Amino acid sequence: AFPLQCTMVFNPRKKNRVWGMYSVEGGVTPIKHLGINFGAPGDRKSADGALWLSWPRPQSTRLVLTMAAEIQLSGGGSYTRGNDDVMRIANTDVPWIYTSGAQGLQRIVLPLVGEAEGAAEYTVRLLFAETDAKAKAGSKPFDVKIQGKVVATGVDVLADAGSRDTALVKDFSGIRIDDRLVVEFVSKVKEPTPDQLPTLRGLEVVRERVLQV
């Protein structure tokens, strides 16, 4: 029941959070380079100029690029989001990619080459980081399948990265794409709980060469 005096000071941030929404009209295939940042608050460019699009995409309008991707989460899966001002991610110069993610991601279907645009070979890059303080090595093993073929077995993010809050990148090159990229994650835990499901932070695809036009 009495007034309280206070002083408010605004101090410039040294770090700039350059989140936004990318806008473009027309077709987007064939894709030469694309990064998807799962659970991110917006789109963002890395220091090397690579564009990382957030997923899920915001409501479709003419001013925001849409993607015809199909993302399937398992039961109990969800999108998570953090802040790289608070979460310190080691072994990367793009920590903001690793502070959000898709937990329990089962399947990604991403069109890379349109009809009559020809086949191409791509490098598929998967970005992981274990940020759960309760996680233990060996508690979340999973296999990775690309285009229906197993390309990695028994992936254990915490064990492979060496510690929590550390970036882990898995590269798979020479992946032939005739139309769509299909990536699947198969948990090796029988009837896993949500916190035993794999979490993907980002997906990057880079075209290596055109095979036919």
Side-chain angles (χ1 to χ4, degrees):
F2 51 88
L4 294 175
Q5 294 183 341
C6 66
T7 301
M8 182 178 294
V9 178
F10 294 91
N11 188 44
R13 286 177 53 89
K14 294 181 179 180
K15 186 190 227 177
N16 182 22
R17 292 193 213 153
V18 284
W19 299 105
M21 288 297 168
Y22 185 65
S23 175
V24 67
E25 292 190 36
V28 295
T29 60
I31 289 176
K32 296 181 180 179
H33 181 271
L34 174 66
I36 299 178
N37 191 185
F38 295 98
D43 305 336
R44 185 167 174 172
K45 281 190 175 181
S46 55
D48 60 3
L51 175 65
W52 288 83
L53 299 178
S54 60
W55 184 275
R57 301 299 292 158
Q59 185 176 358
S60 176
T61 70
R62 287 188 58 192
L63 297 179
V64 177
L65 173 67
T66 60
M67 287 190 297
E70 301 172 18
I71 311 295
Q72 180 181 349
L73 297 178
S74 59
S78 62
Y79 293 100
T80 63
R81 182 181 301 171
N83 187 328
D84 65 317
D85 285 340
V86 178
M87 300 173 62
R88 304 297 182 183
I89 307 297
N91 198 33
T92 179
D93 58 357
V94 283
W96 44 270
I97 294 178
Y98 296 87
T99 57
S100 59
Q103 182 181 25
L105 190 56
Q106 278 191 324
R107 192 168 188 260
I108 304 169
V109 180
L110 181 64
L112 298 183
V113 180
E115 186 177 353
E117 289 178 342
E121 280 189 355
Y122 283 82
T123 291
V124 178
R125 187 167 293 125
L126 305 177
L127 283 63
F128 302 94
E130 182 56 74
T131 61
D132 183 0
K134 297 180 181 179
K136 296 181 179 180
S139 63
K140 304 181 183 181
F142 60 93
D143 295 343
V144 179
K145 296 171 67 176
I146 298 180
Q147 304 306 87
K149 297 180 179 180
V150 176
V151 294
T153 60
V155 177
D156 186 331
V157 175
L158 182 55
D160 294 350
S163 61
R164 295 184 183 86
D165 301 329
T166 301
L168 174 69
V169 179
K170 296 285 187 180
D171 276 358
F172 306 96
S173 59
I175 305 297
R176 179 188 172 104
I177 305 295
D178 293 291
D179 49 8
R180 308 181 304 166
L181 168 68
V182 180
V183 182
E184 298 169 278
F185 301 90
V186 183
S187 175
K188 299 183 76 69
V189 178
K190 185 177 181 180
E191 299 181 358
T193 60
D195 60 356
Q196 291 178 306
L197 299 170
T199 298
L200 182 65
R201 309 292 174 173
L203 166 70
E204 187 176 17
V205 292
V206 181
R207 189 173 69 183
E208 299 173 6
R209 64 191 181 107
V210 176
L211 299 177
Q212 54 184 266
V213 179

